[in-house]
Amino acid sequence: MTTFFGILFILLVINAVLLIFSVNGASEKFKKPVIKISEASITKISPDQHSDAAYKKAV
């Protein structure tokens, strides 16, 4: 019986240590700065800007 509780206690300690490390790793991801894409870098193509010569009209 003491062997069972000994193994159970060791597994619970290992589980707690891994949980602490995983929570710390997840919080570091949220602290990284987020790079926002500016509106100037997005190119918007309107229908009159593409070339009609590259496409053939379907019958």
Side-chain angles (χ1 to χ4, degrees):
M1 191 64 133
T2 57
T3 306
F4 171 75
F5 285 121
I7 294 172
L8 181 66
F9 180 71
I10 291 170
L11 290 176
L12 286 174
V13 169
I14 292 171
N15 193 11
V17 169
L18 290 175
L19 180 67
I20 290 170
F21 281 126
S22 68
V23 168
N24 286 340
S27 67
E28 288 176 4
K29 285 182 182 178
F30 293 119
K31 291 180 182 177
K32 291 182 181 177
V34 177
I35 301 172
K36 294 184 178 179
I37 301 174
S38 66
E39 298 253 348
S41 66
I42 301 173
T43 57
K44 297 178 181 175
I45 300 175
S46 60
D48 60 339
Q49 288 179 342
H50 70 278
S51 117
D52 290 331
Y55 301 103
K56 294 182 178 179
K57 191 170 184 177
V59 177

